[in-house]
Amino acid sequence: MIRTFLRPLQAVRVVQIPVRTTVVVERVNPLTKLRPWENIYDYNKYKYADFQYRVVRNTDADKWGNIDVILTEYVEGVGYKGEIVNIPREMAYTELLPAQLALYPTPDNVALFEEERKLLVDRPQISPFVMKCRDYLTTILLQIPINMKVKDWSLTRDNVRIALRRMNVMCDEDAILLEDGAINKDTYKLGEEFQVTLKINPLVDVSIKCTLVPVDKAKLWDEYQLSKRRAKT
């Protein structure tokens, strides 16, 4: 029976992966002074307190920080081909460098993409935060509250701006591309979805999926006044 239990354990193979790290330590207590004729390598002459250390720095626990790389292809939200960008080390080591989307900016690699780097001067620069904002807005369904009990109501850019503000997206009315009176009482059906274009900057715009939510402003005002009375009592 004992051999039967040991056989599966014998098949287990331990793979050791070497990790390069540095740990800087300092002594907690001063080292015991030995006499000149005593052997300093005779550890029996030392005390237990002589082997107590305090960790000063552990490079394995330090933050990675950023690193400069040169892109070999266009990476959305990062940069163009041939551009030298400063990105987090984790992103460089786990995504870009293994996929050959970036290289270390050595003199040879910089010279290899010299032609692409010259074209970057005339190419418009787009912030990665703009692309993240665009990607976020393409995934949401913007619920626009509007009072449908008003006679001849119509959707305005101000309604869209207020709805975006509720989603923590600030913009001007001029950035919202919407025809006045395009969506009104006669053209809109309750629950129907439509698209509104928002210009994030002069180069990037995004189509946002929207729907209208009927709201009775008078009812909301009554509820607000009632909540204030309850708070006082």
Side-chain angles (χ1 to χ4, degrees):
M1 292 295 294
I2 297 178
R3 291 182 180 178
T4 322
F5 286 113
L6 288 178
R7 283 176 185 172
L9 297 176
Q10 293 175 355
V12 176
R13 305 177 67 181
V14 178
V15 180
Q16 295 183 351
I17 302 176
V19 178
R20 204 168 99 186
T21 184
T22 303
V23 179
V24 181
V25 297
E26 64 178 1
R27 293 185 183 275
V28 177
N29 304 302
L31 187 63
T32 301
K33 293 183 179 180
L34 301 180
R35 297 174 183 177
W37 59 83
E38 292 180 326
N39 185 7
I40 60 174
Y41 297 106
D42 187 3
Y43 297 107
N44 294 324
K45 297 183 178 298
Y46 295 102
K47 302 177 182 178
Y48 172 77
D50 295 333
F51 299 97
Q52 293 180 342
Y53 298 93
R54 182 186 300 110
V55 177
V56 177
R57 183 191 175 195
N58 184 3
T59 58
D60 196 35
D62 291 345
K63 292 184 178 181
W64 282 21
N66 290 7
I67 187 176
D68 290 334
V69 295
I70 182 169
L71 299 178
T72 60
E73 297 291 340
Y74 168 74
V75 180
E76 186 173 353
V78 179
Y80 294 97
K81 181 178 180 180
E83 186 177 0
I84 298 178
V85 294
N86 185 265
I87 60 175
R89 290 178 182 267
E90 184 178 0
M91 180 182 182
Y93 293 154
T94 59
E95 298 179 20
L96 300 185
L97 291 174
Q100 295 294 314
L101 295 175
L103 299 173
Y104 292 106
T106 60
D108 294 338
N109 292 336
V110 173
L112 185 64
F113 295 94
E114 189 64 30
E115 296 297 329
E116 285 78 2
R117 289 175 54 81
K118 292 180 180 178
L119 297 176
L120 292 176
V121 179
D122 301 327
R123 183 173 296 171
Q125 299 297 317
I126 300 176
S127 169
F129 299 102
V130 172
M131 310 309 294
K132 291 181 179 179
C133 180
R134 186 199 66 177
D135 295 340
Y136 168 72
L137 292 176
T138 55
T139 59
I140 66 172
L141 175 62
L142 184 63
Q143 296 182 344
I144 305 175
I146 192 168
N147 190 2
M148 295 186 176
K149 291 187 177 181
V150 177
K151 185 179 180 181
D152 298 333
W153 63 267
S154 62
L155 182 65
T156 62
R157 289 183 291 181
D158 188 55
N159 298 131
V160 180
R161 181 185 63 81
I162 295 174
L164 287 171
R165 189 174 63 183
R166 293 175 64 247
M167 301 290 292
N168 297 325
V169 178
M170 306 299 177
C171 68
D172 298 330
E173 291 187 16
D174 298 336
I176 301 171
L177 304 182
L178 177 67
E179 296 182 6
D180 294 336
I183 300 176
N184 50 44
K185 181 178 181 180
D186 300 327
T187 60
Y188 182 76
K189 295 180 180 179
L190 189 61
E192 186 179 16
E193 296 181 0
F194 57 93
Q195 301 284 338
V196 171
T197 303
L198 175 67
K199 289 189 69 67
I200 302 177
N201 61 24
L203 300 174
V204 179
D205 54 54
V206 59
S207 295
I208 307 175
K209 189 183 298 183
C210 306
T211 185
L212 297 184
V213 178
V215 175
D216 189 350
K217 294 183 180 179
K219 183 178 179 181
L220 289 176
W221 178 256
D222 293 339
E223 292 178 354
Y224 172 70
Q225 294 293 338
L226 184 61
S227 64
K228 288 179 64 177
R229 293 174 186 173
R230 290 174 179 172
K232 290 181 180 180
T233 57

